[in-house]
């Protein structure tokens, strides 16, 4: 059977399963890369009336709050050089973004790898590495600190805004949203393994770890609809070529060596107990103390918070496409290419 015929057969089986279930399903894709794949491949229109796709909080840029950006800008004004991933540049802070601060002369440099950054920072440069991301990128920051220790650098610190995936998902499923199933993030599962997502079974919701190609997504939707039909709440793995039961044990050891759990603020979800990672106390000399006023962390016009919790579709935000575009983002969900607003904007046919 040809690939197209196989794909069509899977699509038909998914739709038949949903017809047997007897209602439109609400499926949340936790990871922003899945959001992009779903909209780029047109699954939101292919399954219109069958599946309502909800974007989750798995885009690290999207859940990074403006208070963190403000802290980095203040540190840049104190003559630190800020090393950051490029997709953080346009995230709006209270008064400006890192890109705007850079245009005004702040020393902000784009890094492609935290390890490379640590390797190339000059000994006379007071540098701060902006550590943002979920468990997928945490090992890279651990390796970066290892490099700093090996070189004996005293002029490099880390501004940690690292997140864990389990606690925000628990809060989201418990307090914010009702769904029929979850497409779990393949990237994070590469590190944590299938076992790292067993907690989802406690919510009695079908779930599947998925890859990112269109065929991966179809197989995952097939798995989810079959699990829903069978009341099967076991976490399934449709990304077996990458994700193991136990995950990447080497990467997990690196995380455990340098980091420990802490509370973290998520855009849309608020302050979540145990939702973040910070450097362990023995490495505190390499950590920047960040100061937040959580009650003021919001933008009244931007509806990113509602988008991230599935309460609103991006095109329902009054700013969407009118004043908020990838070129002029008003919120983090439009900044990142993994953001749901950005995906809706780029791949169109969203109404």
């Amino acid at each position: 059977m040809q690939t197209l015929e196989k794909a069509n057969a899977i699509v038909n089986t998914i739709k038949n399963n949903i017809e047997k279930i007897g209602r439109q399903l609400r499926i949340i894709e936790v990871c922003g890369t899945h959001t992009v794949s779903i909209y780029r491949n047109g699954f939101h229109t292919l399954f219109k009336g069958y599946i309502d796709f909800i974007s989750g909080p798995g885009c690290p840029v999207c859940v990074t709050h403006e208070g963190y950006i403000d802290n980095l800008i203040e540190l840049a004004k104190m003559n630190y050089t800020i090393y950051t991933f490029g997709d953080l540049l346009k995230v709006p802070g209270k008064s400006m973004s890192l890109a705007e601060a850079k245009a005004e002369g702040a020393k902000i440099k784009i890094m492609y790898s935290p390890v490379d950054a640590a390797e190339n920072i000059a000994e006379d440069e007071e540098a701060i590495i902006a550590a943002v991301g979920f468990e997928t990128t945490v090992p890279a920051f651990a390796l970066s600190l290892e490099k700093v220790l090996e070189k004996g650098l005293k002029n490099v610190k880390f501004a940690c805004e690292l997140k864990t995936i389990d606690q925000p998902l628990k809060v989201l499923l418990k307090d914010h949203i009702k769904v029929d199933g979850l497409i779990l993030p393949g990237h994070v599962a590469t590190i944590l393994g299938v076992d790292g997502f067993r907690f989802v079974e406690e919510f009695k919701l079908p779930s599947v770890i998925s890859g990112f190609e269109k065929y991966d997504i179809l197989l995952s939707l097939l798995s989810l609809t079959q699990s829903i039909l069978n009341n099967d709440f076991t976490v399934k793995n449709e990304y077996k070529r990458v994700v193991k039961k136990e995950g990447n044990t080497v990467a997990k050891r690196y995380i455990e060596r340098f980091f420990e759990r802490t509370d973290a603020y998520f855009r849309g979800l608020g302050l979540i107990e145990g939702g973040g990672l910070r450097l362990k106390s023995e490495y505190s000399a390499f950590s920047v103390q960040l100061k937040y006023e959580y009650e003021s962390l919001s933008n009244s016009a931007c509806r990113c918070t509602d988008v991230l919790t599935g309460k609103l579709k991006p095109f329902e935000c009054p700013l969407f496409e009118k004043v908020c575009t990838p070129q002029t983002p008003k919120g983090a969900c439009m900044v990142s290419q993994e953001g749901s607003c950005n995906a809706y904007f780029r791949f169109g046919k969203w109404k």
Side-chain angles (χ1 to χ4, degrees):
M1 186 182 291
Q2 299 299 313
T3 301
L4 180 59
E5 292 175 333
K6 286 183 179 177
N8 285 334
I10 293 173
V11 169
N12 289 333
T13 304
I14 293 169
K15 289 184 176 180
N16 287 337
N17 285 346
I18 296 173
E19 288 169 359
K20 290 177 185 174
I21 295 167
R23 55 185 165 78
Q24 185 185 47
L25 301 180
R26 282 169 59 85
I27 303 294
I28 184 170
E29 75 275 1
V30 176
C31 176
T33 310
H34 281 142
T35 301
V36 172
S37 183
I38 286 167
Y39 287 92
R40 181 171 55 204
N41 290 301
F43 290 141
H44 60 305
T45 53
L46 180 63
F47 291 107
K48 188 174 183 179
Y50 287 86
I51 300 175
D52 182 15
F53 291 101
I54 310 295
S55 299
C59 163
V61 171
C62 299
V63 296
T64 298
H65 56 86
E66 58 264 41
Y68 181 68
I69 303 300
D70 295 336
N71 269 269
L72 293 181
I73 291 172
E74 286 301 313
L75 290 165
K77 290 178 180 176
M78 296 165 64
N79 213 31
Y80 286 102
T81 300
I82 308 298
Y83 284 80
T84 177
F85 289 129
D87 54 1
L88 208 60
L89 282 181
K90 286 187 177 180
V91 176
K94 269 184 184 175
S95 59
M96 66 173 65
S97 65
L98 289 172
E100 291 167 330
K102 179 179 173 66
E104 292 187 1
K107 292 190 291 186
I108 296 170
K109 297 182 180 179
I110 295 175
M111 64 179 177
Y112 298 97
S113 157
V115 179
D116 286 346
E119 181 68 42
N120 295 303
I121 290 172
E123 293 184 2
D124 61 349
E125 182 180 47
E126 293 298 325
I128 291 175
I129 294 176
V132 171
F134 284 92
E135 287 92 340
T136 315
T137 49
V138 175
F141 289 107
L143 286 168
S144 180
L145 177 54
E146 184 179 60
K147 180 66 67 178
V148 168
L149 294 170
E150 287 176 357
K151 295 182 68 175
L153 296 176
K154 304 295 184 186
N155 56 318
V156 180
K157 295 182 184 296
F158 293 78
C160 288
E161 191 61 25
L162 297 166
K163 303 289 201 298
T164 62
I165 197 67
D166 56 351
Q167 296 305 318
L169 265 185
K170 290 177 183 176
V171 170
L172 186 71
L173 295 175
K174 182 180 178 184
D175 300 331
H176 289 272
I177 195 169
K178 300 296 182 187
V179 294
D180 296 293
L182 299 89
I183 298 176
L184 296 171
H187 292 324
V188 175
T190 302
I191 304 298
L192 299 183
V194 178
D195 290 344
F197 288 92
R198 293 292 182 201
F199 69 90
V200 177
E201 296 171 357
E202 298 173 8
F203 291 88
K204 299 197 178 303
L205 284 171
S207 63
V208 57
I209 295 168
S210 177
F212 301 93
E213 300 299 326
K214 52 191 173 187
Y215 202 67
D216 293 323
I217 301 289
L218 285 179
L219 288 176
S220 297
L221 292 175
L222 178 62
S223 171
L224 272 180
T225 55
Q226 288 173 338
S227 292
I228 292 170
L229 275 173
N230 297 326
N231 286 324
D232 183 354
F233 307 125
T234 307
V235 176
K236 299 295 190 298
N237 181 12
E238 289 292 347
Y239 201 25
K240 294 185 180 69
R241 65 184 184 275
V242 176
V243 176
K244 310 299 181 189
K245 178 179 179 296
E246 69 280 9
N248 186 326
T249 55
V250 175
K252 288 198 291 189
R253 280 199 296 272
Y254 262 95
I255 294 174
E256 293 168 0
R257 175 183 167 192
F258 290 107
F259 295 97
E260 63 185 8
R261 292 265 186 170
T262 187
D263 300 343
Y265 193 94
F266 286 67
R267 191 190 301 266
L269 296 174
L271 188 64
I272 295 179
E273 184 178 354
L277 293 169
R278 65 184 178 191
L279 289 176
K280 286 185 171 179
S281 58
E282 54 263 48
Y283 304 110
S284 60
F286 298 94
S287 179
V288 175
Q289 193 67 34
L290 302 173
K291 298 178 181 178
Y292 297 131
E293 296 177 6
Y294 293 115
E295 60 276 9
S296 66
L297 297 178
S298 65
N299 181 326
S300 58
C302 172
R303 302 292 297 275
C304 268
T305 56
D306 291 331
V307 171
L308 285 168
T309 51
K311 297 172 184 170
L312 201 74
K313 296 290 187 185
F315 56 83
E316 294 173 325
C317 173
L319 303 185
F320 184 79
E321 205 184 32
K322 299 182 179 68
V323 295
C324 184
T325 71
Q327 288 71 41
T328 57
K330 303 303 178 187
C333 296
M334 185 62 87
V335 173
S336 172
Q337 291 198 358
E338 294 185 359
S340 52
C341 294
N342 187 294
Y344 270 61
F345 186 94
R346 284 187 293 144
F347 299 111
K349 299 180 181 177
W350 32 263
K351 288 183 178 178

